[in-house]
């Protein structure tokens, strides 16, 4: 589904791999190794060279906003532009079932963003991205700020999306989680990306 | 009419004591602005004296070409001043070009409008009207444009996470930069709003005061001042919108990315 050929930019050596529909690749590497650069380059958030295509269509022929709705990057630290949680969702009631899986109550729409915990913000940011039904998920430590119980809930929702045909690139430092969610592994070290048998 | 009091250099030297007092206070209170204070005062004296000579020369030649050259020189200096006031400037030609081109657009449009539609001197380029009018519009417009660009670059830096979060969810650069652009324009236009609201109560503008001192009737002087305030508001508005919109365009690209790499690091 997602094909990457010779993608590179300063700090990231050329990388090529394919991410088929229904697959999840776990990504691991030390801080500053280039994991975020890789995900941002795929989401087309930074100038970069190389070819990236989705279902055979090169992204240069797809307007960037449309590309990012299909190839959704969820960073480790989420950004918020309005005062209340609900203002960040195009359709809060449509997102409610998903939020319920994430253990976020329906009245959270009125919560001030400034009052939310890191874990709540992480789940809300993930729900906000999943609401647009992206084909590819670029997840930067989606459960990094969560306890075991909510981690399990979030994993279940994400694995369900993958089972339905989405594809995911999932950055995690937790090798047990990598083994649970992914069948393939990428190691990022010093700006170079290698496929690994295990993490 | 010509009953105004002539000032001697001695009168000015006496008044300059206040600048020296300010510099002394800066030394005593460790504000570290005495150098800037003295240099600015010195610059003002030299620049105004030169302007006096330039205007005398322009009035005697009455040439449209030389009036234009003087106007262009003033606009270029205003552009340099806008660039110098930025904490983070754009890279390359945009650094100086953005403020200068915006300033030129706003100030020349309203100055030419003021000369041809309202004041109608004969000839329309009469430097006695054109140069002071442009000077007042530039002086105020420069502050607005500098604040607008500053608001845009500081806003984009501070709200980087919020802007990129919207881009990641498929917003266009226009949507994502909207709040930053609006905030920058508000801060650009606030000084002229404030200045219009207090003019006549708290502040008696320099030009009006000057005309009254020169013997013009207060009612006539007030009409001139109202015209000038409208022109200043127009020039600042056009210039600030041009600068902030063009700046926002430069801070993003065709692929709807936020391009903070097109800003230089902040001055220390």
């Amino acid at each position: 589904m997602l094909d990457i050929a010779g993608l590179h930019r300063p700090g990231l050596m050329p990388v090529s791999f394919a991410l088929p529909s229904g697959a999840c690749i776990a990504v691991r590497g030390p801080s500053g190794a280039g994991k975020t650069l890789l995900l941002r380059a795929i989401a087309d958030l930074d100038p970069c060279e190389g070819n990236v295509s989705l279902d055979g269509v090169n992204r240069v022929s797809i307007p960037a906003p449309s590309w990012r709705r299909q190839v959704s990057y969820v960073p480790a630290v989420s950004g918020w532009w309005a005062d209340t949680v609900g203002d960040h969702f195009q359709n809060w009631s449509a997102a409610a079932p998903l939020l319920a899986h994430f253990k976020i109550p329906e009245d959270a729409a009125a919560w001030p963003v400034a009052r939310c915990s890191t874990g709540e913000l992480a789940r809300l940011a993930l729900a906000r991205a999943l609401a647009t039904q992206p084909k590819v998920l670029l997840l930067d430590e989606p459960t990094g700020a969560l306890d075991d119980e909510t981690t399990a809930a979030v994993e279940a929702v994400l694995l369900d999306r993958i089972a339905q045909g989405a594809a995911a690139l999932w950055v995690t430092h937790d090798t047990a989680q990598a083994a649970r969610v992914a069948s393939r592994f990428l190691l990022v070290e010093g700006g170079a990306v290698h496929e690994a048998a295990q993490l | 009419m010509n009953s105004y009091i002539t000032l001697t250099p001695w009168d000015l030297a006496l008044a300059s004591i206040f600048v020296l007092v300010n510099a002394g206070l800066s030394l005593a209170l460790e504000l570290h602005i005495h150098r800037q204070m003295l240099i600015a005062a010195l610059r003002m004296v030299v620049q105004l004296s030169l302007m006096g000579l330039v205007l005398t020369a322009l009035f005697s030649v009455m040439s449209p070409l030389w009036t234009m050259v003087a106007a262009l020189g003033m606009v270029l200096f205003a552009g340099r001043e806008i660039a110098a006031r930025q904490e983070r400037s754009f890279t390359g030609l945009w650094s100086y070009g953005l403020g200068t081109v915006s300033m030129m657009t706003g100030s020349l449009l309203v100055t030419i409008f003021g000369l041809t539609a309202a004041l109608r001197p004969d000839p329309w380029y009469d430097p006695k009207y054109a140069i002071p009018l442009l000077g007042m519009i530039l002086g105020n417009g420069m502050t607005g444009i500098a604040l607008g660009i500053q608001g845009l670059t500081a806003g984009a830096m501070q709200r980087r996470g919020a802007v990129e979060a919207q881009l990641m969810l498929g917003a266009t650069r226009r949507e994502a930069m909207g709040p930053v652009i609006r905030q920058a324009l508000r801060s650009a236009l606030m000084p002229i709003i404030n200045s219009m609201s207090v003019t006549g109560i708290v502040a008696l503008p320099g030009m009006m005061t000057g005309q009254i001192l020169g013997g013009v009737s207060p009612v006539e002087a007030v009409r001139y001042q109202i015209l000038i305030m409208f022109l200043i508001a127009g020039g600042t508005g056009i210039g600030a919108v041009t600068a902030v919109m063009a700046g926002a365009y430069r801070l993003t690209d065709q692929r709807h990315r936020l391009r903070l790499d097109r800003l230089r690091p902040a001055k220390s």
Side-chain angles (χ1 to χ4, degrees):
Chain A
M1 177 151 60
L2 185 74
D3 284 292
I4 294 169
L7 181 67
H8 65 99
R9 54 150 291 160
L12 184 68
M13 285 178 232
V15 50
S16 303
F17 63 91
L19 182 60
S21 170
C24 176
I25 300 182
V27 182
R28 198 179 168 209
S31 305
K35 302 185 297 292
T36 301
L37 289 184
L38 173 66
L39 298 195
R40 286 180 61 95
I42 298 171
D44 208 1
L45 282 164
D46 294 318
C48 49
E49 309 283 323
N51 285 312
V52 182
S53 56
L54 182 67
D55 295 328
V57 183
N58 195 308
R59 73 175 176 193
V60 294
S61 59
I62 302 174
S66 155
W67 174 261
R68 294 191 196 113
R69 275 192 291 271
Q70 298 178 74
V71 179
S72 190
Y73 168 46
V74 187
V77 178
S78 51
W80 303 87
W81 59 89
D83 292 337
T84 65
V85 164
D87 290 340
H88 296 85
F89 286 76
Q90 292 208 316
N91 186 341
W92 177 261
S93 44
L98 185 61
L99 289 160
H101 284 298
F102 285 171
K103 305 185 191 302
I104 303 277
E106 196 158 357
D107 64 6
W111 290 357
V113 168
R115 221 198 59 197
C116 294
S117 72
T118 328
E120 282 163 348
L121 289 180
R123 282 172 284 154
L124 286 163
L126 195 56
R128 182 173 78 175
L130 291 175
T132 63
Q133 306 292 332
K135 293 178 178 170
V136 178
L137 295 165
L138 308 170
L139 309 167
D140 199 347
E141 297 192 60
T143 62
L146 305 183
D147 60 34
D148 290 349
E149 192 191 348
T150 40
T151 295
V154 166
E155 274 183 21
V157 169
L158 290 171
L159 287 173
D160 184 51
R161 284 292 177 102
I162 294 163
Q164 285 170 32
L169 214 52
W170 187 321
V171 173
T172 178
H173 289 289
D174 178 351
T175 46
Q177 180 177 58
R180 278 199 301 277
V181 301
S183 46
R184 286 166 61 195
F185 308 96
L186 288 180
L187 267 178
V188 184
E189 274 170 317
V193 183
H194 312 281
E195 182 121 24
Q198 61 179 60
L199 286 184
Chain B
M1 260 310 264
N2 292 324
S3 64
Y4 62 86
I5 303 160
T6 315
L7 289 172
T8 63
W10 173 243
D11 299 327
L12 302 181
L14 200 63
S16 74
I17 286 175
F18 289 112
V19 174
L20 296 176
V21 168
N22 280 353
L25 283 175
S26 161
L27 274 175
L29 300 174
E30 296 178 39
L31 307 179
H32 301 293
I33 52 165
H34 43 275
R35 252 184 84 86
Q36 277 168 279
M37 175 74 68
L38 293 176
I39 289 174
L42 202 64
R43 266 187 69 171
M44 175 198 69
V45 172
V46 172
Q47 288 162 188
L48 281 177
S49 306
L50 285 176
M51 187 47 103
L53 297 177
V54 167
L55 285 179
T56 309
L58 283 177
F59 292 173
S60 65
V61 296
M62 279 291 263
S63 131
L65 179 72
W66 282 109
T67 307
M68 286 291 207
V69 169
L72 191 68
M74 288 163 70
V75 170
L76 294 180
F77 273 109
R80 203 195 71 96
E81 193 61 31
I82 293 171
R85 289 189 195 176
Q86 299 307 316
E87 202 179 329
R88 287 165 209 278
S89 62
F90 283 81
T91 52
L93 278 179
W94 280 78
S95 146
Y96 177 68
L98 180 63
T100 308
V101 170
S102 316
M103 189 73 257
M104 194 177 294
T105 313
S107 63
L108 290 188
L109 272 177
V110 296
T111 303
I112 291 171
F113 173 90
L115 290 174
T116 55
L119 282 168
R120 290 192 290 270
D122 184 33
W124 70 271
Y125 54 81
D126 186 347
K128 195 171 131 195
Y129 292 90
I131 298 296
L133 190 62
L134 178 67
M136 282 183 286
I137 292 166
L138 282 179
N140 291 272
M142 192 174 76
T143 307
I145 291 174
L147 285 172
I149 299 177
Q150 171 69 24
L152 176 76
T153 55
M157 293 294 295
Q158 282 159 14
R159 300 177 62 105
R160 179 189 173 165
V163 172
E164 287 207 315
Q166 282 174 282
L167 293 175
M168 285 166 202
L169 291 165
T172 62
R173 55 172 158 172
R174 209 192 164 88
E175 292 162 344
M177 286 294 281
V180 175
I181 292 173
R182 281 191 288 274
Q183 187 59 49
L185 284 177
R186 271 196 292 269
S187 55
L189 294 175
M190 214 33 91
I192 181 66
I193 293 178
N194 290 338
S195 130
M196 283 195 290
S197 16
V198 297
T199 300
I201 306 181
V202 186
L204 288 187
M207 187 201 69
M208 191 180 114
T209 317
Q211 280 190 306
I212 294 173
L213 290 179
V216 174
S217 87
V219 175
E220 289 291 313
V222 161
R223 281 199 206 136
Y224 261 82
Q225 191 59 48
I226 292 174
L227 172 72
I228 298 294
M229 293 303 274
F230 285 154
L231 294 180
I232 288 174
T236 308
I238 296 169
V241 169
T242 310
V244 171
M245 289 301 187
Y249 174 84
R250 177 66 183 164
L251 278 184
T252 53
D253 67 17
Q254 302 292 332
R255 295 297 295 172
H256 301 265
R257 305 175 184 118
L258 181 63
R259 295 296 300 274
L260 294 177
D261 58 310
R262 288 174 176 170
L263 288 179
R264 285 198 212 128
K267 291 176 198 161
S268 52

